[in-house]
Amino acid sequence: MLRLAVILGAILCFGSRAAAQPAPERRVDLTAIKRRLGSEAVFTISSTGKRELLNVATAEVARNAVVVAKLPEKPTWEKKGATVECRLPYRLSGADGELDLVPFLVVAGGAVEYRPDRGPYEARVQLVVRREGAGAGKLSSPAWFMLRASVGAFTPNSVRIEKTGEPYDAALAANTVDGDTVELTVVPGREGPEEAVTVSVTVRRPVIRIAAPARIQGFGLQSCAVDVATDHPAVSVVHLATSAGALESANVKMDGSGNGATRLFSSGLGTAEISVVNPGLKGEIRRVDLVFPFAFLLAAVVGGMAGGLYARYRASRKRTVPHTLLRGALTGLIAAVGLAFGVNLLSIDLAKVWEGRGFTEGLVFLAAALAAAFGLLRPGEAKARKA
């Protein structure tokens, strides 16, 4: 028993000494690496992801540490089918210690996509390490990379690469994107001095087009159709705002063809700027001038005068012409304004014609002339006639 205890004690003592010994190290000639690769910086990544920048001519590094050299060249993009690949300006060491492994950032679909059911913006990216030239290679130890973006966040935000040629996935989700590109930053390792690389990725933003007349009559006397269109099938509702006047509906539902419509009702004078307020959508601004209703007033007054003269001679009443014209003008103006706001004061219902065709000088003239010639309906008469 005593002999067995001595043997076990010796084994435990030897094991503890072995565990206390640091991992075997290897010498790295930094000067040769920087000269051969034109490297700006050489650093190591431990198995836990800690970065250590090497600033000496030669260094002793852990045998299982990944040595990384940052090159002075710029990241280069290449389109491959539906994806784009970015060759990152790094070289990593394989199990043989050679700096011949190159990391790539792969963007599925080639852009940050509009996905309102998820982000609404999303990008699916991959990090993959490949051996320069022919043949497979493996890392001496897992290599860590951190992922960041100018908007949104990555899930996961760090990637642990263990094998070469095998892609490791990450997803970027962002609530909104202001510009046409998103900046993605790749950082080797997880902690320590950063030697990051930032690249720009295209954003496919849905473009919203707005169509409307250049001008309409102000003071609420005219409305116009506002047509909305997009070429992106994921856009189901477009939210609009206007700086003047009022929209029949600020939330425009888009059909399967990417089209929708609402109406703008004038109010006062000025310029109505109709804009898209959906976060993340790229919409143009459509300007509609709300002009002084000269044409409306002229048509209403002239129509009223014409109708007044007709009524005067029809009734053969001895009234002066100026009196007849003034009375007809006022009557016609009241009828035309009522029609503009959907109130029919005529024995002939022109409200549906107005609603279907909108403002025309001829229709205003007709309404004013009929009102002056045959009179206005009294309150309640229109409702009684319908009943």
Side-chain angles (χ1 to χ4, degrees):
M1 294 295 292
L2 181 59
R3 182 179 297 178
L4 178 61
V6 171
I7 293 173
L8 290 175
I11 293 174
L12 292 174
C13 181
F14 178 78
S16 62
R17 287 183 179 180
Q21 291 294 325
E25 295 185 344
R26 56 192 168 109
R27 182 175 294 275
V28 177
D29 189 342
L30 304 179
T31 303
I33 291 174
K34 292 182 179 181
R35 184 185 304 115
R36 179 167 62 89
L37 299 177
S39 175
E40 295 178 341
V42 179
F43 51 96
T44 60
I45 302 178
S46 69
S47 59
T48 61
K50 184 176 181 180
R51 291 183 297 271
E52 182 178 353
L53 187 63
L54 307 178
N55 292 319
V56 294
T58 60
E60 298 285 342
V61 301
R63 188 163 296 277
N64 65 350
V66 176
V67 179
V68 181
K70 184 181 179 184
L71 309 184
E73 61 194 38
K74 294 182 179 180
T76 55
W77 289 94
E78 182 180 357
K79 184 174 178 58
K80 291 192 174 182
T83 67
V84 292
E85 291 187 357
C86 181
R87 179 189 175 103
L88 300 173
Y90 297 109
R91 292 285 186 87
L92 281 66
S93 62
D96 56 4
E98 290 296 323
L99 285 164
D100 57 358
L101 302 181
V102 182
F104 290 82
L105 181 70
V106 182
V107 182
V112 179
E113 301 280 0
Y114 179 72
R115 295 292 300 271
D117 56 328
R118 297 184 183 181
Y121 280 95
E122 180 191 62
R124 304 201 68 83
V125 305
Q126 295 176 332
L127 270 174
V128 59
V129 172
R130 298 173 184 150
R131 191 179 185 91
E132 184 98 295
K138 64 179 182 178
L139 301 175
S140 55
S141 179
W144 291 89
F145 286 90
M146 298 287 292
L147 294 172
R148 300 170 186 161
S150 56
V151 295
F154 273 102
T155 306
N157 62 0
S158 64
V159 176
R160 185 175 187 263
I161 297 181
E162 299 177 349
K163 299 179 182 179
T164 62
E166 183 174 314
Y168 293 81
D169 296 329
L172 169 67
N175 290 327
T176 183
V177 177
D178 294 329
D180 294 326
T181 60
V182 170
E183 305 299 314
L184 304 185
T185 301
V186 180
V187 186
R190 302 179 69 185
E191 57 176 319
E194 291 195 2
E195 292 294 338
V197 169
T198 299
V199 297
S200 297
V201 178
T202 301
V203 178
R204 292 200 180 103
R205 295 162 57 86
V207 177
I208 309 299
R209 297 179 296 277
I210 303 174
R215 61 181 60 83
I216 61 174
Q217 306 288 310
F219 296 125
L221 297 177
Q222 189 180 1
S223 66
C224 66
V226 178
D227 297 317
V228 183
T230 182
D231 56 358
H232 203 295
V235 180
S236 58
V237 179
V238 174
H239 304 291
L240 300 179
T242 179
S243 62
L247 293 168
E248 182 180 39
S249 175
N251 305 319
V252 181
K253 293 184 178 181
M254 311 299 287
D255 60 21
S257 301
N259 297 304
T262 185
R263 294 194 71 82
L264 172 68
F265 297 93
S266 69
S267 176
L269 303 175
T271 300
E273 293 187 346
I274 307 171
S275 58
V276 178
V277 297
N278 296 60
L281 297 187
K282 185 177 182 179
E284 61 185 15
I285 296 177
R286 172 62 63 179
R287 293 174 174 82
V288 179
D289 293 329
L290 311 180
V291 300
F292 190 85
F294 289 109
F296 181 96
L297 295 176
L298 181 61
V301 170
V302 173
M305 289 179 176
L309 289 175
Y310 171 79
R312 177 177 185 273
Y313 291 113
R314 180 170 173 268
S316 298
R317 295 178 180 177
K318 294 182 178 179
R319 293 177 179 168
T320 64
V321 171
H323 177 270
T324 300
L325 294 178
L326 179 59
R327 184 176 182 276
L330 293 176
T331 304
L333 186 58
I334 292 171
V337 172
L339 199 62
F341 286 94
V343 179
N344 184 60
L345 301 175
L346 305 173
S347 56
I348 301 174
D349 191 359
L350 295 179
K352 292 183 179 179
V353 179
W354 180 280
E355 183 179 349
R357 300 188 59 178
F359 168 79
T360 64
E361 291 83 351
L363 183 58
V364 173
F365 177 90
L366 177 61
L370 291 174
F374 301 104
L376 299 172
L377 294 179
R378 291 188 177 86
E381 283 188 346
K383 183 177 181 180
R385 291 190 180 189
K386 287 182 180 181

